[in-house]
Amino acid sequence: MSRLFDTREGDDGLPGPERRLAVLALILGTLMAVVDTTMINIALPSIAASLEVPASRAVWVTNLFQISCAAFLLVFAALSQLLSRRRIYVAGVGVFTLASLGAALSASLESLLLFRALQGLGAAAMLSIGPSIYRQVFPSRLLGSALGLSALVVAGGYAAGPAVGGVLLSVADWPWLFALHLPLGAVALVLAWRALPREARREGGFDWAGALFSVAMLCGFFLAMDGVGHGMPAWQVAAWLGVSLAAATLFLGRQRRAPHPLMPLDIFREPRFSLALVAQGTAFVGQGLAFVALSFLFQQEMGFTPLETAWLFTPWPLAIMLVGPRAGRLADRLNPSLLSSAGLGLLLLGLALLARLGAEASVVDVLWRMLLCGVGFGLFQPPNNRELMGTVPRERSANASGVMSTSRTVGQSFGVALVGAFLATGMPIQATLWLGAFFTLLALGASLARVPMAGAAQRHAREAAAREAAAARE
């Protein structure tokens, strides 16, 4: 860990000591947004009973947060170039913290939903530009290690959310889940304002039309996916998908002619970036499928309780936390695409083995397969993120960060919706897991396609560094 904060001559990014406070601000903001995603799910029955609403309406406490967050990822990534990433991140922390206070004080579902939507906006502001700020804070030689740390924080947040929610609910009412964010948010706000790097604003306007089309495109998609998962009539799902496709067509047309596009299409001309994006999106479809399908497998077919099911999931995020930072460090020295491909291979093997589990399988049989999946995903994600952030020019890193966050969220949501669709047709859970393995195979194919490109880029970088060192000695 200490190597993340040492300073060498010629380093870009912040000096070593200044990185510590900046990283702490990023960790606190990310943890608040990620822990909230899984922590509040535990409280939905309590919220429904307390506010005297049916469970079907209480579900929107989670859904609205996720839709609001996902729909504005691209918007805030682009807006950060106009206003600076530091200001957007600070505003995101501030909005999230104040909205948490409002949610804690809510006495009706309508009030709670309003503040949950605002929380989603704050989370979008933080998560959309988080990876690009890591690139801003750390020198290029440590980018993989820094993104490995980011993967550890995200995995730890997802893993800790249910446990934190369960512990708090055992001693306090659900509003305290939101109140928990207040001290963390206050500290993160001060640190972000003081420690995050300042940068010049981009001159020019903002693509408001592109932002409108982007929000409509993503809202339509997520409402359709939510409808698939909750048994919405087919015509309504089709209508939302139609809205999403129409908005996507308008959005892409706008991006081709906008003077300051929300999502510059030239970043996709770099094949390593595009292939890494495909690998990420399809891998998260596979993970989203697996997480929901395994919940049904463990409880409905294998007879485990919800609490036992939560413990059975533990090896997956725990392995990501352990392997992710090490994979990030390796990606700074070895071919990141090769590491990502090896991780996807392990994930594919783990999902295939889980799909072959029978109803009589033992706890040990489940745990080591979950551990294998977690090791694979932990080995895949940080090196792949390094490719995503390191293959675009620095001036495009905020856009790349927004695209990366959106791809991850869309992939996960699509995976969850596919499980609902499969269950509605009466397909066995194991078939859904095999579908997750198929999407992981697609990710592996995209990752392997860029291995030679990444290797060539590393050789060129080493040769350039050797030439510079030789010139300095002369």
Side-chain angles (χ1 to χ4, degrees), residues 3 144-145 147-149 151-152 318-334 339 378-379 382-383:
R3 64 187 290 272
S145 299
L147 293 175
L149 175 63
L152 182 151
L318 184 62
I320 296 175
M321 292 172 63
L322 294 174
V323 174
R326 291 165 177 79
R329 288 198 293 272
L330 285 173
D332 288 326
R333 302 193 301 271
L334 305 177
L339 292 171
L379 186 58

Side-chain angles (χ1 to χ4, degrees), residues 334-354:
L334 305 177
N335 186 325
S337 296
L338 192 59
L339 292 171
S340 293
S341 300
L344 288 169
L346 292 177
L347 177 62
L348 177 61
L349 177 61
L351 289 176
L353 290 170
L354 284 168

Side-chain angles (χ1 to χ4, degrees), residues 20-402:
R20 295 181 185 274
L21 292 179
V23 167
L24 185 55
L26 292 171
I27 287 175
L28 287 175
T30 302
L31 272 179
M32 286 195 303
V34 172
V35 167
D36 189 274
T37 303
T38 54
M39 179 175 68
I40 300 304
N41 289 341
I42 300 294
L44 291 181
S46 300
I47 292 172
S50 174
L51 299 181
E52 299 179 349
V53 296
S56 59
R57 293 188 63 200
V59 167
W60 279 97
V61 174
T62 296
N63 290 352
L64 196 58
F65 173 87
Q66 293 175 337
I67 292 171
S68 174
C69 178
F72 283 87
L73 289 168
L74 288 176
V75 174
F76 284 121
L79 201 58
S80 70
Q81 294 182 302
L82 190 64
L83 302 177
S84 85
R85 279 169 283 194
R86 174 173 165 270
R87 285 185 172 86
I88 291 295
Y89 192 87
V90 168
V93 174
V95 169
F96 186 91
T97 305
L98 289 175
S100 298
L101 175 61
L105 298 175
S106 293
S108 67
L109 180 65
E110 292 73 19
S111 172
L112 180 57
L113 291 178
L114 170 63
F115 288 112
R116 286 296 281 167
L118 290 174
Q119 273 190 306
L121 289 177
M126 292 185 282
L127 296 177
S128 65
I129 56 174
S132 73
I133 297 179
Y134 274 100
R135 187 179 183 184
Q136 201 180 15
V137 168
F138 286 92
S140 300
R141 64 182 176 85
L142 294 175
L143 181 58
S145 299
L147 293 175
L149 175 63
S150 175
L152 182 151
V153 172
V154 171
Y158 277 119
V164 171
V167 170
L168 272 176
L169 287 175
S170 68
V171 297
D173 292 332
W174 63 265
W176 287 98
L177 296 180
F178 298 106
L180 178 67
H181 297 309
L182 301 181
L184 295 176
V187 174
L189 192 64
V190 173
L191 288 176
W193 182 256
R194 291 183 56 187
L196 294 186
R198 289 165 170 76
E199 60 184 337
R201 302 183 189 184
R202 171 180 60 76
E203 297 296 328
F206 181 71
D207 183 14
W208 292 106
L212 179 63
F213 296 145
S214 169
V215 170
M217 170 182 70
L218 291 168
C219 279
F221 174 81
F222 281 100
L223 287 169
M225 294 302 99
D226 180 71
V228 169
H230 290 89
M232 183 185 290
W235 69 268
Q236 291 185 23
V237 174
W240 283 120
L241 283 176
V243 169
S244 181
L245 288 172
T249 302
L250 294 170
F251 175 71
L252 290 174
R254 173 66 183 173
Q255 299 315 287
R256 292 188 181 95
R257 63 179 187 274
H260 298 288
L262 196 78
M263 185 182 72
L265 300 181
D266 57 6
I267 62 176
F268 298 103
R269 293 175 189 158
E270 169 52 60
R272 285 165 60 198
F273 175 84
S274 296
L275 287 169
L277 192 67
V278 171
Q280 176 186 258
T282 47
F284 270 94
V285 172
Q287 181 178 254
L289 272 163
F291 271 28
V292 179
L294 287 170
S295 295
F296 284 96
L297 177 66
F298 294 157
Q299 294 180 59
Q300 292 187 357
E301 296 200 11
M302 301 179 71
F304 291 107
T305 67
L307 182 59
E308 289 169 338
T309 296
W311 285 114
L312 290 175
F313 271 99
T314 303
W316 191 315
L318 184 62
I320 296 175
M321 292 172 63
L322 294 174
V323 174
R326 291 165 177 79
R329 288 198 293 272
L330 285 173
D332 288 326
R333 302 193 301 271
L334 305 177
N335 186 325
S337 296
L338 192 59
L339 292 171
S340 293
S341 300
L344 288 169
L346 292 177
L347 177 62
L348 177 61
L349 177 61
L351 289 176
L353 290 170
L354 284 168
R356 292 175 60 85
L357 280 175
E360 302 302 320
S362 68
V363 170
V364 174
D365 289 331
V366 174
L367 290 178
W368 73 262
R369 287 168 169 82
M370 296 293 283
L371 184 68
L372 181 61
C373 288
V375 169
F377 206 86
L379 186 58
F380 157 72
Q381 194 178 8
N384 194 71
N385 287 352
R386 193 189 198 288
E387 285 285 88
L388 282 166
M389 295 306 302
T391 55
V392 297
R394 279 190 173 272
E395 61 271 16
R396 294 290 196 221
S397 60
N399 299 112
S401 179

